[in-house]
mmCIF file with all atom_site columns, all heavy atoms in Angstrom:
data_model
loop_
_atom_site.group_PDB
_atom_site.id
_atom_site.type_symbol
_atom_site.label_atom_id
_atom_site.label_alt_id
_atom_site.label_comp_id
_atom_site.label_asym_id
_atom_site.label_entity_id
_atom_site.label_seq_id
_atom_site.pdbx_PDB_ins_code
_atom_site.Cartn_x
_atom_site.Cartn_y
_atom_site.Cartn_z
_atom_site.occupancy
_atom_site.B_iso_or_equiv
_atom_site.pdbx_formal_charge
_atom_site.auth_seq_id
_atom_site.auth_comp_id
_atom_site.auth_asym_id
_atom_site.auth_atom_id
_atom_site.pdbx_PDB_model_num
ATOM 1  N N   . GLU A 1 27  ? -28.374 -69.444 -6.876  1.00 97.00 ? 219 GLU A N   1
ATOM 2  C CA  . GLU A 1 27  ? -28.503 -69.912 -5.502  1.00 97.00 ? 219 GLU A CA  1
ATOM 3  C C   . GLU A 1 27  ? -27.492 -69.277 -4.542  1.00 97.00 ? 219 GLU A C   1
ATOM 4  O O   . GLU A 1 27  ? -27.821 -69.112 -3.324  1.00 97.00 ? 219 GLU A O   1
ATOM 5  C CB  . GLU A 1 27  ? -28.316 -71.438 -5.457  1.00 97.00 ? 219 GLU A CB  1
ATOM 6  C CG  . GLU A 1 27  ? -29.467 -72.225 -6.170  1.00 97.00 ? 219 GLU A CG  1
ATOM 7  C CD  . GLU A 1 27  ? -29.226 -73.712 -6.171  1.00 97.00 ? 219 GLU A CD  1
ATOM 8  O OE1 . GLU A 1 27  ? -28.079 -74.153 -5.903  1.00 97.00 ? 219 GLU A OE1 1
ATOM 9  O OE2 . GLU A 1 27  ? -30.167 -74.458 -6.418  1.00 97.00 ? 219 GLU A OE2 1
ATOM 10 N N   . GLY A 1 32  ? -29.902 -61.594 -2.058  1.00 96.00 ? 224 GLY A N   1
ATOM 11 C CA  . GLY A 1 32  ? -29.426 -60.389 -1.404  1.00 96.00 ? 224 GLY A CA  1
ATOM 12 C C   . GLY A 1 32  ? -29.244 -59.235 -2.349  1.00 96.00 ? 224 GLY A C   1
ATOM 13 O O   . GLY A 1 32  ? -29.059 -58.087 -1.887  1.00 96.00 ? 224 GLY A O   1
ATOM 14 N N   . PHE A 1 88  ? -44.382 -68.430 -18.991 1.00 97.00 ? 280 PHE A N   1
ATOM 15 C CA  . PHE A 1 88  ? -43.066 -68.821 -18.426 1.00 97.00 ? 280 PHE A CA  1
ATOM 16 C C   . PHE A 1 88  ? -42.610 -67.779 -17.432 1.00 97.00 ? 280 PHE A C   1
ATOM 17 O O   . PHE A 1 88  ? -42.062 -68.107 -16.393 1.00 97.00 ? 280 PHE A O   1
ATOM 18 C CB  . PHE A 1 88  ? -42.037 -69.084 -19.483 1.00 97.00 ? 280 PHE A CB  1
ATOM 19 C CG  . PHE A 1 88  ? -40.676 -69.479 -18.901 1.00 97.00 ? 280 PHE A CG  1
ATOM 20 C CD1 . PHE A 1 88  ? -40.434 -70.790 -18.629 1.00 97.00 ? 280 PHE A CD1 1
ATOM 21 C CD2 . PHE A 1 88  ? -39.699 -68.547 -18.694 1.00 97.00 ? 280 PHE A CD2 1
ATOM 22 C CE1 . PHE A 1 88  ? -39.221 -71.223 -18.048 1.00 97.00 ? 280 PHE A CE1 1
ATOM 23 C CE2 . PHE A 1 88  ? -38.498 -68.903 -18.162 1.00 97.00 ? 280 PHE A CE2 1
ATOM 24 C CZ  . PHE A 1 88  ? -38.231 -70.271 -17.874 1.00 97.00 ? 280 PHE A CZ  1
ATOM 25 N N   . CYS A 1 119 ? -26.886 -53.522 -34.102 1.00 92.00 ? 311 CYS A N   1
ATOM 26 C CA  . CYS A 1 119 ? -26.029 -54.087 -35.147 1.00 92.00 ? 311 CYS A CA  1
ATOM 27 C C   . CYS A 1 119 ? -26.667 -53.753 -36.511 1.00 92.00 ? 311 CYS A C   1
ATOM 28 O O   . CYS A 1 119 ? -27.047 -54.620 -37.285 1.00 92.00 ? 311 CYS A O   1
ATOM 29 C CB  . CYS A 1 119 ? -25.903 -55.576 -34.931 1.00 92.00 ? 311 CYS A CB  1
ATOM 30 S SG  . CYS A 1 119 ? -25.171 -56.047 -33.345 1.00 92.00 ? 311 CYS A SG  1
ATOM 31 N N   . ALA A 1 151 ? -38.852 -78.406 -35.483 1.00 87.00 ? 343 ALA A N   1
ATOM 32 C CA  . ALA A 1 151 ? -38.182 -78.581 -36.772 1.00 87.00 ? 343 ALA A CA  1
ATOM 33 C C   . ALA A 1 151 ? -37.767 -77.243 -37.369 1.00 87.00 ? 343 ALA A C   1
ATOM 34 O O   . ALA A 1 151 ? -36.677 -77.057 -37.907 1.00 87.00 ? 343 ALA A O   1
ATOM 35 C CB  . ALA A 1 151 ? -39.056 -79.359 -37.757 1.00 87.00 ? 343 ALA A CB  1
ATOM 36 N N   . GLY A 1 158 ? -29.408 -73.854 -37.558 1.00 67.00 ? 350 GLY A N   1
ATOM 37 C CA  . GLY A 1 158 ? -28.375 -74.301 -38.514 1.00 67.00 ? 350 GLY A CA  1
ATOM 38 C C   . GLY A 1 158 ? -27.972 -73.215 -39.466 1.00 67.00 ? 350 GLY A C   1
ATOM 39 O O   . GLY A 1 158 ? -26.821 -73.004 -39.756 1.00 67.00 ? 350 GLY A O   1
ATOM 40 N N   . PRO A 1 176 ? -21.454 -47.750 -33.944 1.00 94.00 ? 368 PRO A N   1
ATOM 41 C CA  . PRO A 1 176 ? -21.332 -46.657 -32.985 1.00 94.00 ? 368 PRO A CA  1
ATOM 42 C C   . PRO A 1 176 ? -22.381 -45.569 -33.156 1.00 94.00 ? 368 PRO A C   1
ATOM 43 O O   . PRO A 1 176 ? -22.907 -45.037 -32.145 1.00 94.00 ? 368 PRO A O   1
ATOM 44 C CB  . PRO A 1 176 ? -19.926 -46.122 -33.276 1.00 94.00 ? 368 PRO A CB  1
ATOM 45 C CG  . PRO A 1 176 ? -19.156 -47.297 -33.792 1.00 94.00 ? 368 PRO A CG  1
ATOM 46 C CD  . PRO A 1 176 ? -20.151 -48.105 -34.582 1.00 94.00 ? 368 PRO A CD  1
ATOM 47 N N   . ALA A 1 178 ? -25.403 -45.992 -34.113 1.00 96.00 ? 370 ALA A N   1
ATOM 48 C CA  . ALA A 1 178 ? -26.665 -46.508 -33.577 1.00 96.00 ? 370 ALA A CA  1
ATOM 49 C C   . ALA A 1 178 ? -26.689 -46.379 -32.066 1.00 96.00 ? 370 ALA A C   1
ATOM 50 O O   . ALA A 1 178 ? -27.745 -46.097 -31.449 1.00 96.00 ? 370 ALA A O   1
ATOM 51 C CB  . ALA A 1 178 ? -26.903 -47.978 -34.005 1.00 96.00 ? 370 ALA A CB  1
ATOM 52 N N   . ALA A 1 210 ? -19.458 -37.152 -20.836 1.00 96.00 ? 402 ALA A N   1
ATOM 53 C CA  . ALA A 1 210 ? -18.985 -38.515 -20.634 1.00 96.00 ? 402 ALA A CA  1
ATOM 54 C C   . ALA A 1 210 ? -20.152 -39.492 -20.805 1.00 96.00 ? 402 ALA A C   1
ATOM 55 O O   . ALA A 1 210 ? -21.244 -39.278 -20.275 1.00 96.00 ? 402 ALA A O   1
ATOM 56 C CB  . ALA A 1 210 ? -18.325 -38.668 -19.303 1.00 96.00 ? 402 ALA A CB  1
#
Side-chain angles (χ1 to χ4, degrees):
E219 291 178 345
F280 180 83
C311 301

